[in-house]
Amino acid sequence: MKVLVPVKRVVDYNVKVRVKSDGTGVDIANVKMSMNPFDEIAVEEAVRLKEKGVVTEVIAVSCGVTQCQETLRTAMAIGADRAILVETDAELQPLAVAKILKALVDKEQPQLVILGKQAIDDDCNQTGQMLAALTGLPQGTFASKVEVADGKVAVTREVDGGLETVSLSLPAVVTTDLRLNEPRYVTLPNIMKAKKKQLDVVKPADLGVDVAPRIKTLKVEEPPKRSAGIKVPDVATLVSKLKNEAKVI
Ligand code: AMP
């Protein structure tokens, strides 16, 4: 059984990004980039399924610039068997990524596609759902537990107020939530091994996909600066200020 794991190269979660002065986006020049944290969880889950003997091959996919190869090498250092880079300098929106992934699903015929629930750069939370729609596959989103058995995958989902477990027939699309697992640290020997693993590069046009953007970003702004706090002398003043000034009680 093959598993496809899409991994996105995003600004590292420790970096405090700055909005460009013309408000057209976020400045990512010379900024540390890493694998989207939810995708690390997805790779870890796929590799654990392989270690359990449920899965035979884990294929990592990234769509974007040449440097996404680094992200794919990290996925292979975690344990993915091979990788595919769908290379383009174009801005990729979730629909374009979902179309690319649909073409790869048709080609590779994986039984499971495990994506992150969202990319931490644009917070879209759309690609997995769009992929499920385009392929007609069942989806289990925000997974905190994944169990594969008898041609089905049971996905425990984090929903408002609790956990919901759904059973999907394979092939299926799953998206990962934070508590699914804790990804392992990549070791130096595995980084070295990953350098020798197969990494194929294709272009969106080779897959017959038009990646032209469908959404236009109008403006990106910094959040408003927080004003300084004050010290109050006693609880009565605090309650009065919360009631009459902040109007929150
Ligand atoms: P999003 O819908 O943009 O929040 O992304 C959700 C998930 O889709 C990510 O966690 C990745 O698994 C996958 N994904 C999104 N963009 C890309 C990309 N450019 N390359 C590979 N996977 C991606």
Side-chain angles (χ1 to χ4, degrees):
M1 163 166 154
K2 277 191 205 176
V3 181
L4 196 69
V5 187
V7 293
K8 186 174 187 188
R9 178 177 182 265
V10 296
V11 173
D12 188 90
Y13 71 94
N14 286 307
V15 172
K16 193 172 178 319
V17 287
R18 276 208 226 122
V19 172
K20 287 185 194 162
S21 51
D22 61 2
T24 54
V26 169
D27 192 359
I28 56 163
N30 304 317
V31 159
K32 183 177 181 225
M33 306 292 281
S34 301
M35 187 189 302
N36 182 43
F38 291 107
D39 304 352
E40 255 182 87
I41 295 172
V43 179
E44 175 67 35
E45 195 63 21
V47 172
R48 287 188 191 186
L49 288 171
K50 190 177 170 198
E51 288 166 348
K52 276 191 206 153
V54 177
V55 161
T56 49
E57 190 180 30
V58 178
I59 309 163
V61 186
S62 196
C63 313
V65 293
T66 315
Q67 292 88 327
C68 294
Q69 292 199 13
E70 293 159 19
T71 317
L72 290 169
R73 292 284 171 207
T74 306
M76 290 192 284
I78 297 173
D81 297 287
R82 64 182 167 97
I84 304 168
L85 168 63
V86 183
E87 192 179 27
T88 172
D89 290 334
E91 177 208 338
L92 289 178
Q93 294 176 349
L95 181 59
V97 177
K99 286 180 184 170
I100 290 172
L101 295 176
K102 151 96 170 69
L104 289 175
V105 166
D106 290 345
K107 195 166 162 222
E108 297 283 349
Q109 299 283 313
Q111 288 295 293
L112 207 51
V113 185
I114 311 182
L115 306 93
K117 76 165 176 183
Q118 75 192 57
I120 61 162
D121 51 0
D122 50 24
D123 278 340
C124 281
N125 177 8
Q126 295 171 4
T127 312
Q129 293 88 330
M130 285 177 170
L131 175 65
L134 292 175
T135 52
L137 296 180
Q139 59 179 307
T141 51
F142 311 153
S144 61
K145 192 169 169 199
V146 171
E147 284 174 310
V148 180
D150 307 325
K152 292 204 178 332
V153 54
V155 177
T156 303
R157 311 182 55 238
E158 298 198 353
V159 293
D160 280 352
L163 297 173
E164 174 191 58
T165 303
V166 290
S167 174
L168 320 172
S169 48
L170 297 173
V173 174
V174 169
T175 73
T176 62
D177 213 327
L178 209 57
R179 281 158 288 274
L180 179 58
N181 62 48
E182 219 174 283
R184 69 197 66 186
Y185 286 106
V186 288
T187 59
L188 191 59
N190 285 342
I191 293 173
M192 301 313 286
K193 260 192 236 162
K195 290 189 189 202
K196 297 204 185 99
K197 291 186 181 175
Q198 181 185 342
L199 194 162
D200 298 315
V201 181
V202 295
K203 304 272 178 203
D206 301 335
L207 300 169
V209 178
D210 164 21
V211 294
R214 304 292 201 271
I215 300 170
K216 190 172 159 209
T217 302
L218 299 179
K219 198 170 159 201
V220 178
E221 290 178 84
E222 295 269 0
K225 292 254 178 307
R226 282 181 64 177
S227 49
I230 54 157
K231 275 191 182 167
V232 289
D234 50 36
V235 174
T237 320
L238 174 66
V239 171
S240 152
K241 281 191 177 293
L242 289 175
K243 212 181 231 170
N244 304 318
E245 290 177 24
K247 297 195 184 344
V248 290
I249 56 172

